[in-house]
Amino acid sequence: MPRKKPPVVITCAITGAIHTPTMSDALPYTPEDIAAQAIAASEAGAAILHLHARRPHDGGVTIDPEAFAAFLPRIRQSTDAVVNISTGGSLTNSIDERIAPALRFSPEMCSLNMGSMNFSFHPLAKRYDTWKFDWERDYVARSDGNIFRNTFADIENAANQLAPHAIKFEHECYDVGHLYNLRFCMDIGLFKAPVFIQFIFGILGGIGPEVDNLVFMKRTADRLFGDDYRWSVLGAGGAQMPLATTASQMGGNVRVGLEDSLLIARGKLAESNAQQVAKIRRIIEDLGSEVATPDQAREILGLKGADRVGF
């Protein structure tokens, strides 16, 4: 008899730092909407909630810990999902500023980007003639000048400051070189196996969203980490569902959410994060796999438990 596949962990990334309110009425940016959509995503089947914060008055990106404080307790009270706080929520702030929310709230997980890169979404600016808020157009159009800084010194700084909190990192790898960066960091003792890797495809400046690239990233990770890693796939934009489906059948886990794609189908905007979660859950289950509960995700990833967070 073939060995039973482990359940697939679904992560939902609720709002992110790329899309702006003009692009979708469904994109949450008030604390109330972020909490409500996170809870609904959990109820739809997301075991992990990946969270950024926004300014409630105009939807702009913020990494102020007080902005996270406005929704984290409500999410904790209403769901048993794993909370994963972003440490990459701003392309212009220092690593010390970006890890401040994780330091304050000590979540079970947080993201950690594994290399510096050009990170741009400026082509989106050409799609809109009018904008809901004054900040949006320049924020999007000028992203072609961004370098998303994640030097080895930055990575070591984040790892050392967050080490006392027993936080599990979601190591975000936007290209194959980031896998080698992670291997180096493990070799010098910054991270212990098994690590959790998020393969990211389709961000301008990173690797493209082709299945061949997914196979290549997976094969490279197998060579570098052997059995010492767990993995998930994030496909940006229209690649979200196809790559998530493929990953789920390759033994991986998946990430969806309005941070990564505003769509539910080609040319059709999603109504909510929960709608995307429900769709990928249906696909996974229709193909014969199970979806992990939050407690199963904790066991699979070796998390410290919700009783040890700081919110």
Side-chain angles (χ1 to χ4, degrees):
M1 293 290 293
R3 187 172 62 179
K4 184 179 179 181
K5 290 182 180 179
V8 178
V9 177
I10 298 175
T11 295
C12 187
I14 303 299
T15 191
I18 295 176
H19 299 122
T20 72
T22 292
M23 298 176 188
S24 172
D25 291 336
L27 185 74
Y29 59 84
T30 67
E32 296 78 14
D33 286 345
I34 290 172
Q37 287 218 36
I39 293 163
S42 172
E43 292 171 346
I48 300 173
L49 301 171
H50 177 74
L51 299 172
H52 291 240
R54 298 271 186 159
R55 299 191 299 258
H57 62 282
D58 67 358
V61 176
T62 179
I63 54 174
D64 183 352
E66 288 300 320
F68 286 85
F71 56 76
L72 285 177
R74 181 180 170 192
I75 293 172
R76 170 85 191 282
Q77 292 164 6
S78 302
T79 175
D80 65 345
V82 175
V83 166
N84 175 334
I85 292 179
S86 172
T87 68
S90 170
L91 299 177
T92 58
N93 290 82
S94 70
I95 191 65
D96 286 324
E97 293 168 324
R98 285 159 42 197
I99 67 173
L103 279 173
R104 174 168 169 181
F105 297 109
S106 191
E108 292 184 79
M109 298 185 69
C110 71
S111 62
L112 186 61
N113 302 80
M114 293 312 299
S116 300
M117 59 183 289
N118 293 336
F119 190 118
S120 186
F121 40 93
H122 67 279
L124 294 175
K126 298 178 180 179
R127 299 184 185 181
Y128 306 93
D129 295 323
T130 59
W131 301 82
K132 289 182 180 179
F133 299 106
D134 291 341
W135 65 271
E136 294 181 73
R137 186 188 181 283
D138 284 349
Y139 175 77
V140 176
R142 293 177 180 174
S143 65
D144 60 353
N146 290 337
I147 294 176
F148 189 19
R149 174 180 161 143
N150 298 282
T151 65
F152 285 113
D154 292 336
I155 294 168
E156 183 171 6
N157 182 6
N160 289 337
Q161 289 198 61
L162 293 170
H165 293 266
I167 295 171
K168 187 76 170 186
F169 293 108
E170 172 200 8
H171 294 281
E172 296 196 343
C173 294
Y174 293 78
D175 216 331
V176 66
H178 293 179
L179 296 174
Y180 286 88
N181 292 352
L182 176 55
R183 180 69 262 177
F184 169 79
C185 291
M186 292 178 71
D187 290 342
I188 64 173
L190 288 182
F191 309 114
K192 296 180 180 179
V195 290
F196 180 52
I197 302 174
Q198 189 74 252
F199 299 143
I200 300 177
F201 302 91
I203 296 296
L204 184 58
I207 198 167
E210 289 81 31
V211 171
D212 280 352
N213 285 338
L214 168 54
V215 173
F216 176 54
M217 290 280 278
K218 173 65 167 57
R219 185 180 298 132
T220 302
D222 287 343
R223 184 173 65 252
L224 292 176
F225 306 106
D227 294 328
D228 288 340
Y229 80 108
R230 310 290 179 262
W231 63 285
S232 177
V233 163
L234 179 176
Q240 182 184 78
M241 292 296 168
L243 284 183
T245 301
T246 303
S248 74
Q249 298 307 294
M250 291 173 61
N253 304 290
V254 303
R255 177 170 138 174
V256 296
L258 296 178
E259 172 176 350
D260 306 328
S261 175
L262 297 175
L263 305 174
I264 191 64
R266 183 180 293 274
K268 183 179 180 181
L269 290 173
E271 297 174 0
S272 67
N273 282 281
Q275 186 184 29
Q276 291 183 340
V277 174
K279 179 173 181 176
I280 193 59
R281 178 177 187 169
R282 183 174 66 252
I283 291 170
I284 290 168
E285 292 178 340
D286 284 350
L287 291 174
S289 297
E290 296 180 6
V291 168
T293 67
D295 284 343
Q296 287 174 320
R298 290 182 173 97
E299 182 178 358
I300 290 167
L301 300 179
L303 306 185
K304 65 182 180 181
D307 59 329
R308 295 177 60 191
V309 301
F311 56 92

